[in-house]
Amino acid sequence: MKKRLLLSALLLAGGLSAFAQQTCSYGTVTNTTAIGENISAGDENNEYSGATDFDVPFGTIFTANTITFNVLKGSADATYVNITFYTSVSGQPGEVIETFTNVTPTSQVLAYEVNGQAFDAYTITVDLPTNLVFPTGKYFVELAAAPGDAIAVAWEITAEAQTAGVFDFVKDQDRLGNVVWGGGGYYSKVFQIMGECAETGETAPNYGDACNQGNASNDHEDGVSFFSFGQILSLADDFIVPANTTFTLTDFTLHTMLLGRMNNATIKIRSSQSNTPGAVLHTFTNKGPEYTQYDGAIPVPGSDAYTIAVQTNFSFDDEPIELPAGTYFIEVIPTPYYSDYMVWESTTQPGVGGSCFTSYTGGETWSVNTGKNFVFDVNGFCRSSLGIDTPEAVNFSFYPNPVKDVLHIEAQKQIISVAVYNIEGREINGYSINNKVLNMQALSSGVYIIKAHLEGGTTEVFKIVKQ
């Protein structure tokens, strides 16, 4: 409940009073296909519900007061609605924020008729008994509705490409009675959460100019499986940060063909070693998708069956990854739901870097998929790092590089202090310069960034290799 507690403190302090309020809503719209999933409540032997997520964007505080959602039902009004809000944990409903039970709908209006069926589509509006305030973040809302007649209530879904979240969750129980969330994960439930938005005044960091790269789809020509005899494999492909550039990775989209859903995934950023996935630089365990996008049904090669093409996006906005010039591999280890048919789409068309790789040993060793590139996009921001790698100041120099024991730094101005950072940008404490000498014996082999602060406010930043 940390978010609620933080927000309560803000409200008590009158922190929202200075923010301008405006009406806003989050959700999706119908494409009138009359498809739905059962969310009927009221039968103790067969209780159903569904959940969907919504995102409050950066720099916004959202006060929710109303929900509208489309259902397929009989002509009788639904008698009540149950509503539960959750935090998001690993891309699924997590901790309960608030529950409202037996809420009487404000209105139930015909949305469109469904020919030849005993049901039609209706828009149900519910006023929340208490306004709820949501800071920036991802949240889930679960809905259930009690039928007013013998026809079940189904929450309308749409296959239309609406990249607004990871939808289509259904509550269930495992054999031990624990709550589990099922569902396909690539449809959008039709709903709107409405209320008031206020800007917080936060300013997004300036990482440079927007940039992206990746490998484009070639009509879903092929793919590499995440499974081998029941074992989940690691798959990886490379991307390149150009010379004299710093790339801040903010989101990653992989293209899959699957049955079921990718609940979440462990994603790793690796260095490149001899054009093969190398050391792990960053790890994100059980990271939930930001959204999924349905791309249609695709024939399975050599079979009459069909699989589903889905784009799955992962956001790193809360923990952006800063990468200097070089080649990197992005590795994916999925957490699947329902089926072990899940492949990362590949293409034989030319792509970024070299071929893609598979690991049967959890990333210890890698096998190349010769002539194949995975279909993916990495997005973020690029800025020039010209001058960082090889400082050219006439009155500043350092040697040797690579360095084994001590680094000598020469400058016409007095050196006030130095800071040492690893390649991930984290400062390594305990380093100071003495008589223009920096002792580096205790450092492990690798690449480091040195920042020297000189008299008069001048700063010199350079890269060294520790042997």
Side-chain angles (χ1 to χ4, degrees), residues 68-383:
T68 68
F69 60 105
N70 275 22
V71 298
L72 306 173
K73 68 176 187 65
S75 58
D77 284 348
T79 57
Y80 64 83
V81 176
N82 295 331
I83 308 166
T84 302
F85 288 91
Y86 298 86
T87 62
S88 176
V89 177
S90 298
Q92 299 184 79
E95 183 181 0
V96 173
I97 297 173
E98 194 71 72
T99 297
F100 304 112
T101 58
N102 300 328
V103 182
T104 302
T106 306
S107 66
Q108 303 184 52
V109 179
L110 179 68
Y112 60 89
E113 294 181 346
V114 182
N115 295 329
Q117 299 293 335
F119 57 82
D120 291 307
Y122 291 82
T123 300
I124 295 179
T125 301
V126 178
D127 292 333
L128 299 182
T130 303
N131 289 355
L132 295 180
V133 184
F134 298 93
T136 297
K138 179 180 286 293
Y139 305 92
F140 282 86
V141 58
E142 176 191 7
L143 296 176
D149 51 29
I151 300 175
V153 177
W155 194 345
E156 185 188 6
I157 61 176
T158 170
E160 198 168 85
Q162 300 185 59
T163 54
V166 184
F167 298 88
D168 197 20
F169 282 89
V170 178
K171 182 185 284 187
D172 203 349
Q173 290 186 340
D174 61 18
R175 294 179 180 179
L176 299 178
N178 300 312
V179 171
V180 293
W181 291 95
Y186 38 78
Y187 293 114
S188 298
K189 289 187 166 78
V190 180
F191 78 107
Q192 292 286 326
I193 297 182
M194 298 176 288
E196 301 290 330
C197 287
E199 295 181 1
T200 64
E202 297 173 273
T203 302
N206 182 9
Y207 296 122
D209 298 324
C211 59
N212 70 289
Q213 61 179 285
N215 300 321
S217 174
N218 189 29
D219 295 328
H220 308 94
E221 65 172 305
D222 201 357
V224 177
S225 178
F226 280 105
F227 289 87
S228 177
F229 298 102
Q231 175 189 357
I232 300 177
L233 308 180
S234 298
L235 303 184
D237 205 348
D238 57 347
F239 64 95
I240 300 171
V241 179
N244 302 318
T245 300
T246 296
F247 175 55
T248 301
L249 175 63
T250 58
D251 70 275
F252 160 62
T253 302
L254 77 155
H255 295 232
T256 59
M257 293 177 286
L258 50 77
L259 298 174
R261 181 182 75 231
M262 184 182 297
N263 267 0
N264 49 61
T266 293
I267 298 175
K268 300 179 182 180
I269 306 298
R270 291 178 175 266
S271 64
S272 175
Q273 184 173 352
S274 301
N275 299 318
T276 301
V280 175
L281 305 177
H282 303 270
T283 299
F284 303 89
T285 303
N286 295 334
K287 187 170 184 63
E290 183 69 12
Y291 65 78
T292 59
Q293 179 175 316
Y294 172 77
D295 274 353
I298 307 298
V300 177
S303 170
D304 293 332
Y306 280 78
T307 184
I308 302 300
V310 178
Q311 296 183 36
T312 304
N313 175 273
F314 297 89
S315 172
F316 304 100
D317 281 343
D318 293 338
E319 42 198 347
I321 305 165
E322 190 169 281
L323 300 170
T327 299
Y328 301 90
F329 281 85
I330 191 159
E331 173 188 358
V332 179
I333 309 168
T335 303
Y337 169 79
Y338 178 74
S339 170
D340 61 359
Y341 184 87
M342 180 181 294
V343 302
W344 190 343
E345 182 186 350
S346 66
T347 174
T348 56
Q349 297 298 307
V352 175
S355 299
C356 58
F357 287 80
T358 298
S359 176
Y360 298 84
T361 59
E364 294 295 325
T365 58
W366 293 89
S367 301
V368 63
N369 300 303
T370 304
K372 292 184 178 181
N373 290 289
F374 287 135
V375 179
F376 71 94
D377 298 278
V378 289
N379 303 289
F381 298 89
C382 294
R383 68 179 186 275

